[in-house]
Amino acid sequence: MTDTPRLIEVAFPLKQTSIDSVHEKNVRHGHISTLHIWPARRPLAACRAALIATLLPDPGNKAERDEIYRRMAGRVVEKVKTKKKGGKVIEEIKEETEGGILHWGRESGEDLDWFRQKIREAYGGRAPKVLDPFAGGGAIPLEAMRLGCEATAIDINPVAWFILKCTLEYPQKLAGQTEPLPDFVVKDKDFMESFFKAQGYKGKALEKQLEKLGFTDDSTDQQIDLIEAETAKLEANLAWHVRAWGWWVLQQAKAELEPFYPVVDEKPTVAYLWARTVKCKNCRATIPLLKTRWLCKKDDKRVLLTMEPNEDRTGVVFGIQQNVPKKGSGATLRANDKKLGAGTMSRSGTACPCCGAIMTMEDLRIEGQAQRLGLRMTSVVISEEKGKDYRLPTDSEIQVAVSAERELKSVFSEIPFGIPNEPLPGKEALGFRVPLYGFDEWCKLFTSRQLLALGTFVKLVRFSSESMRAYHYDSKWIEAVHSLLALAVDKLSDRCSSLCQPDPTPTQSGVIHVFHRFALPMNWDFIEGVTIESFSGGFLGAVEWIAKVMDQSSAFKECPEPKVIASSAINSNQKKFDLVITDPPYYDAIAYSDLMDFFYVWLRRSLYGISPEIDKAFHGKLAPKWNHEQEDGELIDDSSRFDGDKTKSKAVYEDGMFRVFQSCFHSLESHGRLVIVFAHKHPDAWETLVSAIIRAGFVVDGSWPIQTEMGNRTRALSSAALSSSVWLVCKKRPITTRPGWDNRVLDEMREKISDRLRDFWDAGIRGPDFVWAATGPAMEAYSKYPAVKKANEPGQLMPVSEFLSQVRRLVLEFVVGRVLSMEGRTEEVSNLDDITTYYLLHRHDFGMDDAPIGACILYAISCGLSDTALADQYDILARTKGKSTDDDDDDDEDTAAEDSADEVEESSGSKVKLKTWMQRKRKNMGYEAPGGRSVPLIDQIHRLMHLWKAGDVIKVDEYLDDHALRNNALFQQVLQSLIELSSAGSDERALLESISNHIGVRGKDTGYRQTELGFAVEANSAL
């Protein structure tokens, strides 16, 4: 393709892509994200849209462009949906898309074929070559394959590399192929009934198919003969062979593990609840470490774990209280329930139920590191006709759980590398808290029974390969099925660890998996599922999740074969590509390799010997980190890998990213494009990224902020993660380009950015995402030059940080202009002081509610301020320590210490809120400002509100005159905006309206007599 503008450099269906990307986060069955845990996956819809828009040239006219995007993204429609809330039926208007190929479930069809053809035509009839050097979970290369491209996926992490093989390689190799089902499942009626239902059989037709296999009400010897006769005719795809051999593994596992999951009173066990224990440092009693004693707390079912000291006060005796009565309602009920269900843990440590002594978090660390933390089973979750119930464990159940340890040596003697005793990273590693409490080997994150279960499944998955050979499977089928079953063991381990928490919500699984957030914090009580049953935490459920993803494999039958490479992104040495598109790691956001070693240790055991390629990838005891000698490895900013040297760690990360972009430059064809996904809002991160891109020889000529994250993400609450991922589009800069001049660059930036800001605003982008959305179009003016000189300072260069500061300020002026005119105005507002600018932005986006600190830091920096200064110097912000002051949440877990004081330190201040005018009572507010600044308009307005509330009209008028506010148009705009932003009927709004009316009527009259002003009504009556 020639160097013509691409679609993405001219226009992009931002709203449709964002809607479908956010919707996709709610999709579960069949989505590649359910194949295996991997952090920071991007939605397929966003990847598909970006690939199409970057691969296709812009047609040069709006009509054709609109037609392309109609086929791709459809159109936005509003739909009214009703739901019940608080006993009332309320209507919600939601925006959805109709048509296009971005929405989950609409990705195939004639329009997809049309795009495949158009993409090939754009590249002279060949499939374009696409590279992702940080391929991770595989969303980008998967979509490149779907569009008919030759996809190359690279990742240095063996877990990611193996996920890529299972996501891209095996489905593509075996797409459209079938093999006969093994006879052991053909003889199982339940399995075959599921198989036929999946083929569309139901009712009489289903019964007829089952009868052909001899499954009738009258079982005879003829049944076996019929089954054997029909077996050869029953062929199935990869997904059903995964189900079949998963079923086989489970049957073998049941035979070995059933004695370790006893059934009591013929009521199936769903799960076991455990608490860690510690000896009291005062009375030496055994203390169970419990966050809460509530087992179930729903409107129609309230069950409590009771606890009282035993007779000799050496420990506690548990009981189960059913039908716990409610005391009070609303806040009273929540307070009573919290007190009633209080466990032994708090943020200060644990209280001994026998003597009342407190063991601090530091005490618990010391005990943990000395390996003196124990375990106690507290209760058992059982299945009854009406749902789940709870009982105390029997002595035999407790003994069985303990006895599992004696079997570990035998089971793991049949598994390569034995028990997974590889070391955990140290306590300094990102996201790790468990090492603080003595958990220094991976095997210590599991109970003995969990280790026994996982070891048994690993052993049997390995045995499955030999059995498949006996059934004459081809080697590629054996590798694929074995690999996918190994993923099932990994998924099982995620729900079979002492880091799992109980999930009591009726619509969810019952077991919250380990990686519900990408960190390994300490927990004190946990849930253990029954691995051989169909309840939460069972192996068969893990197999089914994987099989559902494989059900989609037919979509890749006609796709070019992908290349999956285990390599560093720095030295990939791959050439030549039409497009490099990637989502790189962001500084210290996620410790990929350290965290994914949780799975690495199990995959290494499950897969050893399956192929030389896999053995080579998993040859190390743990996944690669940073190789200091080769100056290559995983790129994250983790100072623990540099002896705690944060400066060195940051420098290595930044230099590594530059080297990656250099490698991308050399890997691209001359007219190729580089697309970088970035979802980090800290200005330093952006400046580093942009500097590295420019140094590597690229021009940034586009950016689109695609909303890809759900608002309730754990990380989004307190991290520097954007809810929108900004997709930066880059092209190669001609090597003959000479340096530019700052005055011309800034003029060009202002010209380019204006129209794009309106587009972003009209697309509904708001908040911090809007600030960063402008970066791409603004950066073209700067990055088109290898360096930018200062016209008025000979020999000086304009750094990226200074340029981006100018961009951010221009964007803020645009936003404030919209806020001051209540979104009806298009021109920017300048000359508004920084403090008031921040206040308006915050108030517009978050009101007076809690706001995530990350967003506020961005706004503060964009205004030339800091969140600390806004809280401490300017008295604008209040820290709420990550929990709303009016939060109704009655989760008792909130009172429990997940970790020590430094864990609390991390979460404190993760949310902030604006102080109300009544809370701002400093005597100098409105008269002087810190640091010799001019008094902010917001301070002046709040001072006027205090004076008006006090009822002294002379002081109000004197203040207006002394600060020349009567004829200050900007003051009038801010005042009116605050009226609109305040709640109707509130005291704040009444005060502001009274002041506005007072100024409007008596604006030029300064000879007032003193009058006692009441609140609002009396003020109006004086007009």
Side-chain angles (χ1 to χ4, degrees):
M1 180 187 286
T2 59
D3 194 21
T4 55
R6 308 298 169 85
L7 271 168
I8 200 169
E9 294 167 336
V10 179
F12 189 77
L14 196 55
K15 195 166 189 176
Q16 297 96 311
T17 305
S18 294
I19 289 171
D20 286 338
S21 294
V22 172
H23 167 265
E24 192 181 310
K25 288 286 183 174
N26 296 309
V27 172
R28 288 294 175 261
H29 295 295
H31 196 279
I32 63 167
S33 62
T34 64
L35 190 66
H36 192 285
I37 291 291
W38 188 258
R41 290 176 178 268
R42 295 293 162 220
L44 301 179
C47 299
R48 195 177 311 135
L51 280 158
I52 291 172
T54 311
L55 288 166
L56 289 179
D58 180 68
N61 67 83
K62 187 176 184 302
E64 286 187 56
R65 190 182 304 125
D66 289 348
E67 174 60 19
I68 292 172
Y69 281 147
R70 184 196 62 77
R71 282 178 174 267
M72 182 179 92
R75 63 190 185 94
V76 178
V77 296
E78 289 186 348
K79 293 193 175 180
V80 179
K81 296 189 175 182
T82 59
K83 69 175 184 178
K84 290 184 177 180
K85 187 174 182 180
K88 298 180 180 179
V89 176
I90 59 174
E91 289 188 346
E92 283 187 345
I93 298 177
K94 297 191 71 174
E95 289 185 321
E96 298 179 0
T97 62
E98 284 186 352
I101 60 169
L102 300 185
H103 192 85
W104 176 261
R106 295 202 300 257
E107 56 270 9
S108 300
E110 293 182 1
D111 283 334
L112 178 64
D113 294 336
W114 185 85
F115 277 111
R116 285 175 174 169
Q117 180 183 344
K118 288 295 181 184
I119 288 169
R120 275 187 170 270
E121 288 175 2
Y123 291 85
R126 65 175 176 86
K129 297 180 179 180
V130 177
L131 167 68
D132 182 356
F134 294 105
I140 290 170
L142 180 80
E143 290 306 320
M145 276 175 56
R146 193 192 306 275
L147 294 169
C149 304
E150 292 183 14
T152 299
I154 296 176
D155 207 287
I156 192 173
N157 189 282
V159 176
W161 171 81
F162 183 67
I163 294 171
L164 290 166
K165 284 181 72 70
C166 295
T167 305
L168 309 174
E169 185 178 308
Y170 299 140
Q172 190 274 338
K173 278 185 178 179
L174 300 178
Q177 298 184 35
T178 59
E179 286 286 329
L181 283 171
D183 57 6
F184 53 78
V185 290
V186 178
K187 295 175 183 179
D188 185 84
K189 182 179 179 181
D190 290 339
F191 187 95
M192 294 312 299
E193 186 172 346
S194 298
F195 174 75
F196 287 130
K197 283 181 179 178
Q199 318 308 313
Y201 291 100
K202 56 186 177 180
K204 293 293 184 182
L206 175 61
E207 291 178 11
K208 187 174 181 180
Q209 291 300 319
L210 292 173
E211 286 174 4
K212 285 182 180 180
L213 296 181
F215 294 119
T216 61
D217 294 336
D218 299 322
S219 179
T220 65
D221 292 338
Q222 185 185 12
Q223 179 184 18
I224 302 300
D225 296 333
L226 284 169
I227 290 174
E228 290 176 349
E230 289 291 333
T231 299
K233 303 175 186 177
L234 293 169
E235 296 201 341
N237 61 15
L238 176 60
W240 279 98
H241 282 274
V242 170
R243 290 183 175 98
W245 287 97
W247 183 93
W248 180 88
V249 167
L250 180 61
Q251 304 315 307
Q252 312 305 310
K254 280 184 175 181
E256 296 188 30
L257 294 175
E258 272 183 342
F260 295 94
Y261 299 108
V263 176
V264 178
D265 297 332
E266 298 183 350
K267 295 179 180 178
T269 300
V270 175
Y272 304 93
L273 297 176
W274 294 80
R276 304 190 195 279
T277 62
V278 69
K279 290 283 187 181
C280 174
K281 65 181 180 181
N282 180 50
C283 71
R284 307 309 295 163
T286 300
I287 307 172
L289 304 176
L290 291 163
K291 298 190 298 279
T292 178
R293 289 185 294 109
W294 280 109
L295 298 176
C296 182
K297 190 170 54 172
K298 301 172 185 173
D299 288 339
D300 59 345
K301 191 176 184 68
R302 290 164 58 83
V303 185
L304 186 69
L305 180 72
T306 62
M307 179 181 70
E308 57 184 39
N310 58 20
E311 289 185 6
D312 55 6
R313 305 187 81 80
T314 58
V316 298
V317 177
F318 290 122
I320 303 290
Q321 182 182 355
Q322 301 280 354
N323 304 315
V324 179
K326 296 181 180 180
K327 295 183 179 179
S329 61
T332 302
L333 174 62
R334 288 191 292 273
N336 286 333
D337 280 354
K338 189 172 183 179
K339 183 178 180 180
L340 184 63
T344 58
M345 292 298 299
S346 69
R347 290 195 179 277
S348 58
T350 185
C352 177
C354 297
C355 71
I358 299 295
M359 291 189 70
T360 66
M361 300 305 295
E362 183 59 29
D363 291 332
L364 294 179
R365 285 198 186 113
I366 292 171
E367 293 300 295
Q369 289 168 9
Q371 304 298 308
R372 290 195 291 263
L373 292 180
L375 290 174
R376 180 171 176 182
M377 193 185 300
T378 62
S379 55
V380 181
V381 188
I382 57 176
S383 177
E384 293 193 325
E385 289 184 8
K386 295 182 179 180
K388 293 179 183 176
D389 205 352
Y390 305 83
R391 61 169 174 80
L392 293 178
T394 64
D395 290 341
S396 63
E397 284 177 308
I398 294 171
Q399 289 303 314
V400 164
V402 172
S403 69
E405 185 175 3
R406 295 194 292 268
E407 304 297 323
L408 292 179
K409 185 176 180 180
S410 173
V411 169
F412 280 93
S413 66
E414 301 183 64
I415 298 172
F417 316 115
I419 292 175
N421 56 8
E422 291 89 342
L424 267 79
K427 62 182 184 297
E428 301 85 5
L430 293 171
F432 280 77
R433 290 294 176 267
V434 289
L436 290 166
Y437 300 91
F439 295 87
D440 52 5
E441 295 177 346
W442 286 105
C443 59
K444 292 182 180 180
L445 300 182
F446 306 88
T447 68
S448 295
R449 180 162 50 194
Q450 288 172 332
L451 281 173
L452 179 65
L454 289 168
T456 300
F457 280 106
V458 168
K459 178 185 70 174
L460 294 170
V461 166
R462 295 181 56 77
F463 287 172
S464 70
S465 287
E466 292 300 321
S467 296
M468 280 186 268
R469 290 188 184 93
Y471 278 87
H472 307 295
Y473 277 67
D474 183 88
S475 60
K476 64 182 179 182
W477 275 82
I478 294 174
E479 181 179 332
V481 174
H482 183 140
S483 295
L484 293 165
L485 291 178
L487 286 189
V489 175
D490 264 22
K491 288 185 75 67
L492 181 64
S493 69
D494 190 32
R495 292 185 182 271
C496 185
S497 164
S498 66
L499 297 182
C500 294
Q501 299 172 18
D503 182 355
T505 55
T507 58
Q508 298 197 27
S509 62
V511 177
I512 298 177
H513 62 118
V514 175
F515 287 99
H516 66 283
R517 55 178 291 220
F518 289 105
L520 290 182
M522 186 61 182
N523 70 338
W524 302 109
D525 42 9
F526 61 91
I527 186 169
E528 178 192 11
V530 180
T531 58
I532 57 175
E533 295 295 343
S534 58
F535 302 116
S536 176
F539 178 74
L540 201 59
V543 170
E544 184 59 25
W545 282 108
I546 290 165
K548 284 185 180 297
V549 178
M550 293 302 108
D551 281 331
Q552 313 291 321
S553 63
S554 59
F556 305 105
K557 185 177 180 181
E558 306 297 329
C559 295
E561 183 177 345
K563 292 181 181 177
V564 179
I565 301 171
S567 172
S568 160
I570 294 175
N571 295 311
S572 62
N573 298 319
Q574 300 293 314
K575 300 180 182 181
K576 281 284 193 179
F577 293 91
D578 302 290
L579 171 60
V580 178
I581 177 168
T582 194
D583 179 11
Y586 311 135
Y587 282 86
D588 59 353
I590 297 173
Y592 292 87
S593 183
D594 284 335
L595 290 170
M596 294 300 102
D597 279 345
F598 179 96
F599 300 112
Y600 180 95
V601 297
W602 294 112
L603 283 175
R604 188 172 181 237
R605 288 157 171 78
S606 298
L607 298 171
Y608 182 77
I610 190 173
S611 77
E613 181 188 33
I614 290 176
D615 287 351
K616 181 180 178 182
F618 287 88
H619 73 279
K621 289 185 69 175
L622 295 169
K625 308 300 186 286
W626 180 257
N627 188 315
H628 293 268
E629 293 181 1
Q630 298 178 6
E631 294 188 344
D632 195 1
E634 182 189 40
L635 279 176
I636 62 167
D637 180 5
D638 184 354
S639 60
S640 69
R641 299 179 183 177
F642 298 90
D643 299 322
D645 189 335
K646 294 183 178 180
T647 303
K648 175 70 172 176
S649 176
K650 184 172 182 285
V652 168
Y653 168 81
E654 292 173 351
D655 179 67
M657 290 305 302
F658 163 66
R659 290 160 63 196
V660 169
F661 295 144
Q662 266 192 325
S663 178
C664 292
F665 185 92
H666 296 306
S667 296
L668 270 177
E669 295 282 2
S670 58
H671 300 311
R673 293 295 189 272
L674 168 67
V675 177
I676 304 164
V677 188
F678 207 64
H680 199 292
K681 64 167 67 79
H682 199 283
D684 286 348
W686 274 87
E687 289 161 15
T688 301
L689 176 78
V690 170
S691 295
I693 291 170
I694 295 170
R695 286 170 56 205
F698 287 103
V699 177
V700 180
D701 67 344
S703 70
W704 298 97
I706 303 172
Q707 190 174 352
T708 58
E709 309 297 343
M710 293 188 294
N712 59 356
R713 264 190 328 156
T714 304
R715 286 190 62 247
L717 296 178
S718 59
S719 73
L722 285 166
S723 61
S724 291
S725 301
V726 180
W727 300 60
L728 292 172
V729 186
C730 312
K731 61 183 179 182
K732 288 187 172 184
R733 184 174 56 245
I735 58 174
T736 56
T737 306
R738 299 175 64 84
W741 295 97
D742 63 341
N743 53 348
R744 295 178 183 175
V745 166
L746 290 173
D747 286 344
E748 185 178 347
M749 178 269 288
R750 293 187 186 98
E751 183 180 345
K752 278 185 171 294
I753 207 173
S754 297
D755 289 340
R756 194 60 63 86
L757 288 178
R758 294 186 184 94
D759 292 341
F760 290 160
W761 192 269
D762 292 342
I765 302 168
R766 297 291 187 273
D769 293 331
F770 187 83
V771 178
W772 292 121
T775 300
M779 277 309 306
E780 183 177 7
Y782 182 91
S783 61
K784 67 193 295 184
Y785 304 104
V788 177
K789 298 179 178 180
K790 292 191 173 184
N792 296 326
E793 298 179 41
Q796 297 296 310
L797 298 177
M798 173 186 252
V800 172
S801 57
E802 183 179 335
F803 176 78
L804 286 177
S805 178
Q806 297 263 12
V807 173
R808 289 194 292 266
R809 191 67 209 191
L810 183 66
V811 174
L812 292 192
E813 288 174 0
F814 175 92
V815 176
V816 170
R818 292 300 179 100
V819 174
L820 289 178
S821 59
M822 297 317 291
E823 309 202 5
R825 178 170 157 175
T826 57
E827 64 266 26
E828 300 82 9
V829 170
S830 57
N831 301 321
L832 185 63
D833 65 87
D834 295 333
I835 312 300
T836 306
T837 297
Y838 175 86
Y839 183 94
L840 288 173
L841 291 170
H842 187 128
R843 186 76 184 264
H844 179 260
D845 285 355
F846 306 110
M848 302 303 293
D849 299 326
D850 282 349
I853 188 63
C856 300
I857 289 172
L858 170 62
Y859 274 163
I861 291 173
S862 299
C863 294
L865 303 164
S866 70
D867 59 308
T868 302
L870 286 165
D872 300 336
Q873 286 182 263
Y874 300 106
D875 197 36
I876 286 285
L877 290 179
R879 300 182 181 91
T880 59
K881 297 188 181 295
K883 186 172 178 66
S884 172
T885 54
D886 57 356
D887 199 340
D888 289 336
D889 190 0
D890 62 335
D891 266 343
D892 296 283
E893 286 81 358
D894 288 343
T895 67
E898 180 180 82
D899 199 1
S900 63
D902 60 339
E903 182 75 6
V904 178
E905 180 79 18
E906 287 179 5
S907 65
S908 67
S910 62
K911 287 187 178 182
V912 294
K913 65 194 309 182
L914 289 175
K915 286 189 172 183
T916 65
W917 69 275
M918 282 290 290
Q919 292 173 319
R920 304 189 66 214
K921 296 180 179 179
R922 293 183 181 179
K923 291 183 178 180
N924 63 348
M925 183 190 70
Y927 296 108
E928 59 183 56
R933 286 175 177 258
S934 59
V935 180
L937 271 179
I938 189 62
D939 285 9
Q940 297 178 53
I941 291 171
H942 283 169
R943 174 54 61 192
L944 278 170
M945 293 172 75
H946 281 286
L947 293 173
W948 189 272
K949 179 71 172 175
D952 194 335
V953 72
I954 289 180
K955 288 186 178 179
V956 170
D957 290 328
E958 285 176 350
Y959 190 91
L960 288 168
D961 293 336
D962 290 345
H963 293 81
L965 296 177
R966 294 182 187 277
N967 297 313
N968 184 331
L970 200 52
F971 166 75
Q972 299 277 4
Q973 282 183 287
V974 173
L975 184 63
Q976 184 59 37
S977 292
L978 291 177
I979 291 172
E980 297 295 333
L981 290 168
S982 58
S983 300
S986 65
D987 289 352
E988 179 191 23
R989 187 161 190 159
L991 271 174
L992 291 166
E993 288 176 339
S994 296
I995 293 169
S996 178
N997 291 338
H998 177 76
I999 295 169
V1001 172
R1002 300 187 178 182
K1004 297 182 179 180
D1005 180 10
T1006 59
Y1008 298 135
R1009 59 183 175 82
Q1010 184 170 348
T1011 305
E1012 289 298 316
L1013 290 176
F1015 176 67
V1017 174
E1018 291 188 37
N1020 286 332
S1021 65
L1023 300 179

